[in-house]
């Protein structure tokens, strides 16, 4: 509130800010304009003593550059970039002077927005030709389906998702057009001189340098007054899940008050995806600090796009691939070295990436993703070993453990590769061998639940039943049944599914629950994402069988998440029933997205 109240009397400064570090999004600042994928001119040229000053933008790259033409030696051109709506700016970016015998020059390219650090920028072209002048700022308004400043009378709906706030008899309300992700503020029974406005933040309400006092409106006495509508998503700038709040000031006491911050929810799955994207690092192309989790999260995002027909995040697929296909020393992406092609000593980590790239291939039909999955699959195949336990894939390169996750992946992966490679027989035979081995391995216990793995003596080790192991097995047997028509495979998948939804080991009060969701326990970064993986494969079985029992279970998870585990910012925690302690981060968000997408399908 202190920041909100301080904004009441804030006057806009118009002074240059100190230059910051280079911004990196899809490329880093100072990229050569010859590499731009597109060129547009979002603002009129500026005539500067007969010189033509021009701002160029590649929307595809979200980068800008400036040029000056019809000039003389010594004339100069540069970019200004502002992160606070034009109040202050980084000046002289890429400053270039016209050399002898030339009549014009241009700057290098600079990023307009910085989604990695949740900042939306403005840019303008400036020059010095016997006087200094600048074009208008580009993109002062955010545009999504609708643009900033649209009249609230054009809203597709009027929802009030957070409680109003009161101030000396005034009621300040936040209104949201959920379908279009737009918002506006209103004040009831205001007095002369009262004001109403909207704040917009790109980092969940931590800061709002370019979104303070949007649509600030003075109020005639005794009336209800509202602002215009403002967008909460900036697809051009790769900024999603903007948060908004309604604020007002009471004139007589010079005091203000604001509602809670909220993110719109155009649909359940879209709300989860928008909030998830706030954690994606577009420059490095992953969700920071978890290697295999990033692969599973990308899979969730692709499933969402394919299920809902939402294409806003299609660029994430290629970006993740291009930025991570190479080699990385231990500690950069994982505690293990990444040796190229998403491969490391952790066989299961490699398997998650193979699954992601098969999903990407299905969605885009780009053969490079299928080729990558084949490469990883061939690596995993090296660790199928009949010399120990008569078969199964080792969990790691050191061959220390045969476990459920790696072999569940292997069953699904070999089947999926066969389905996508015309004329294949090799992967199909491997899938059949994997299914036969899995069923006889002992990992499926007498209750139909999958324990974590095998002992050195090749017996069920009795270790924790995790939902993702159960889900991978369900998915693998379901897919192989689709391919072969062998009804015994579908029967196995059903047995595993029935055990999962009826046993208190994985389901409590109808809600999918890990052992680390109970009491005062907490899940580690790996375990936070397990349930979303289960839901992906369980929903596949529900679709294959058209079982109302399975479909109702899928819907129950989505309904419970939405009702009991969602914040005003559309973040979801580890515990879908909403009990405490409840951890929340991008891994739990990806897990929830998997469940919400499953229900949307």
């Amino acid at each position: 509130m202190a920041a909100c109240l301080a904004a009441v009397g804030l006057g806009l400064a118009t002074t240059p800010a100190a230059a910051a570090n280079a911004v990196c999004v899809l490329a880093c600042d100072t990229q050569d304009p010859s590499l731009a994928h597109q060129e547009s001119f979002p603002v009129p040229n500026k005539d500067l003593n007969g010189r033509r000053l021009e701002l160029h933008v590649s929307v595809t790259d979200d980068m800008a550059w400036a040029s000056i033409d019809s000039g003389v030696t010594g004339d100069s051109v540069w970019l200004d970039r502002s992160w606070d709506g034009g109040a202050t700016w980084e000046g002289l970016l890429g400053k270039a002077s016209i050399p002898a015998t030339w009549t014009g020059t241009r700057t290098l390219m600079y990023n307009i927005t910085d989604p990695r650090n949740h900042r939306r920028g403005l840019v303008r072209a400036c020059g010095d030709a016997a006087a200094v002048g600048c074009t208008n700022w580009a993109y002062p308004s955010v545009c999504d389906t609708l643009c900033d400043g649209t009249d609230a009378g054009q809203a597709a709906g009027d929802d009030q998702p957070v409680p109003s706030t009161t101030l000396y008899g005034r009621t300040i309300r936040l209104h949201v057009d959920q379908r279009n992700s737009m918002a506006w503020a209103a004040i009831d029974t205001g007095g002369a001189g009262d004001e109403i406005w909207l704040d917009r933040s790109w980092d969940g309400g931590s800061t709002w340098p370019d979104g303070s006092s949007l649509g600030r409106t003075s109020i005639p006495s005794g009336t209800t007054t509202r602002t215009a509508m403002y967008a909460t998503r900036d697809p051009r700038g790769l900024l999603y899940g903007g948060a908004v709040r309604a604020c007002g000031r009471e004139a007589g006491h010079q005091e203000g008050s604001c509602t809670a911050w909220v993110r719109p929810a155009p649909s359940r799955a879209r709300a989860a995806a928008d909030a998830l994207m706030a954690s994606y690092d577009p420059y490095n192309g992953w969700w920071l600090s978890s290697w295999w989790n990033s692969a599973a999260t990308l899979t969730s995002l692709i499933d969402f796009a394919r299920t809902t027909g939402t294409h806003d995040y299609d660029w994430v697929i290629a970006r993740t691939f291009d930025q991570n296909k190479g080699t990385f020393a231990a500690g950069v992406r994982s505690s293990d070295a990444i040796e190229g092609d998403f491969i490391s000593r952790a066989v299961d980590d490699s398997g998650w990436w193979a699954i992601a790239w098969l999903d990407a291939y299905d969605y885009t039909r780009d053969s490079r993703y299928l080729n990558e999955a084949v490469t990883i699959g061939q690596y995993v195949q090296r660790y199928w070993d009949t010399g120990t336990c008569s078969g199964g894939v080792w969990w790691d390169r050191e061959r220390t453990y045969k476990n459920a996750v790696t072999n569940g992946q292997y069953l699904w992966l070999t089947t999926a590769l066969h389905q996508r490679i015309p004329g294949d027989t090799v992967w199909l035979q491997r899938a059949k061998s994997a299914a036969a081995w899995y069923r006889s391995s002992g990992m499926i216990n007498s209750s139909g639940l999958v324990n974590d793995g095998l002992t050195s003596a090749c017996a069920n080790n009795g270790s924790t039943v995790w939902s993702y192991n159960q889900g991978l097995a369900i998915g693998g047997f379901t897919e192989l049944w689709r391919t072969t028509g062998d009804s015994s495979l579908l029967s196995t998948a059903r047995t595993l599914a029935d055990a999962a939804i009826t046993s208190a080991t994985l389901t409590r009060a109808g809600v999918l629950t890990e052992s680390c969701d109970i009491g005062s326990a907490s899940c580690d970064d790996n375990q936070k994402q397990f349930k979303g993986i289960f839901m992906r494969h369980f929903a596949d079985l529900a679709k294959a069988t058209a079982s109302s029992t399975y479909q109702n279970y899928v819907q129950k998870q989505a309904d419970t998440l939405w009702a009991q585990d969602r914040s005003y910012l559309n973040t979801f925690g580890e515990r879908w029933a909403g009990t405490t302690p409840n951890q929340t981060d991008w891994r739990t968000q990806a897990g929830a997205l998997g469940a919400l997408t499953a229900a949307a399908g």
Side-chain angles (χ1 to χ4, degrees), residues 306-377:
R306 188 171 62 227
T307 300
T308 64
T310 303
H311 297 286
D312 287 350
Y313 315 121
D314 288 1
W315 61 275
V316 174
I317 302 170
R319 188 65 183 167
T320 304
F321 185 88
D322 292 338
Q323 294 301 100
N324 293 285
K325 191 176 186 298
T327 61
F328 300 91
V332 177
R333 287 290 190 271
S334 167
S335 57
D336 299 318
I338 307 303
E339 300 159 3
D341 292 309
F342 305 89
I343 287 170
S344 68
R345 58 163 289 280
V347 178
D348 62 329
D349 284 8
S350 306
W352 291 118
W353 285 104
I355 292 169
W357 299 129
L358 280 173
D359 213 27
Y361 171 71
D362 289 346
Y363 181 58
T364 67
R365 310 310 295 178
D366 187 332
S367 61
R368 66 176 178 160
Y369 300 133
L370 176 59
N371 293 338
E372 191 64 56
V374 170
T375 296
I376 300 170

Side-chain angles (χ1 to χ4, degrees), residues 108-175:
L108 297 174
M109 292 197 294
Y110 288 78
N111 283 287
I112 302 173
T113 59
D114 182 14
R116 186 185 190 192
N117 293 301
H118 313 294
R119 299 188 295 177
R120 183 177 183 274
L122 307 180
V123 289
R124 64 184 180 184
C126 296
D128 186 352
V132 173
C134 300
T135 66
N136 294 332
W137 291 106
Y139 307 118
S141 297
V142 179
C143 288
D144 187 11
T145 305
L146 300 172
C147 290
D148 285 353
T150 300
D151 188 272
Q154 298 184 40
D158 183 356
D159 185 32
Q160 297 181 38
V162 294
S164 60
T165 182
T166 57
L167 184 68
Y168 294 105
R170 283 75 167 162
T171 301
I172 298 164
R173 306 180 192 275
L174 177 67
H175 299 257

Side-chain angles (χ1 to χ4, degrees), residues 49-281:
N49 289 328
R51 285 75 158 173
R52 186 174 75 251
L53 188 63
E54 200 160 36
L55 178 67
H56 309 249
V57 168
S58 171
V59 174
T60 303
D61 302 293
D62 196 33
M63 301 187 83
W65 66 101
S67 67
I68 189 167
D69 291 297
S70 303
V72 299
T73 301
D75 289 349
S76 59
V77 64
W78 63 88
L79 278 174
D80 285 345
R81 178 171 61 193
S82 174
W83 301 114
D84 55 11
T88 62
W89 58 88
E90 300 168 346
L92 305 178
L93 297 178
K95 184 175 181 180
S97 296
I98 298 178
T101 74
W102 290 24
T103 59
T105 191
R106 66 186 182 187
T107 69
L108 297 174
M109 292 197 294
Y110 288 78
N111 283 287
I112 302 173
T113 59
D114 182 14
R116 186 185 190 192
N117 293 301
H118 313 294
R119 299 188 295 177
R120 183 177 183 274
L122 307 180
V123 289
R124 64 184 180 184
C126 296
D128 186 352
V132 173
C134 300
T135 66
N136 294 332
W137 291 106
Y139 307 118
S141 297
V142 179
C143 288
D144 187 11
T145 305
L146 300 172
C147 290
D148 285 353
T150 300
D151 188 272
Q154 298 184 40
D158 183 356
D159 185 32
Q160 297 181 38
V162 294
S164 60
T165 182
T166 57
L167 184 68
Y168 294 105
R170 283 75 167 162
T171 301
I172 298 164
R173 306 180 192 275
L174 177 67
H175 299 257
V176 174
D177 171 357
Q178 300 284 15
R179 181 189 303 175
N180 293 309
S181 297
M182 302 290 290
W184 68 99
I187 190 169
D188 298 339
T189 61
D194 292 353
E195 292 180 307
I196 184 73
W197 67 89
L198 200 74
D199 286 341
R200 177 173 59 201
S201 170
W202 300 109
D203 57 9
S206 295
T207 62
W208 52 102
D210 72 311
S212 178
S213 299
L214 299 176
R216 194 172 188 128
T217 303
S218 293
I219 301 161
S221 178
T223 64
T224 296
T225 301
R226 68 188 183 190
T227 68
M229 292 197 295
Y230 288 82
T232 61
R233 304 172 77 252
D234 181 12
R236 180 198 56 77
L238 307 182
L239 287 161
Y240 311 93
V244 287
R245 68 179 181 182
C247 298
R249 182 184 69 87
E250 193 271 337
H253 296 82
Q254 294 295 309
E255 292 182 24
S257 183
C258 299
T259 67
W261 290 98
V262 69
R263 287 184 174 118
S267 71
R268 289 179 173 184
R270 174 74 168 268
D274 280 349
L276 175 65
M277 281 304 298
S279 298
Y280 183 73
D281 175 4

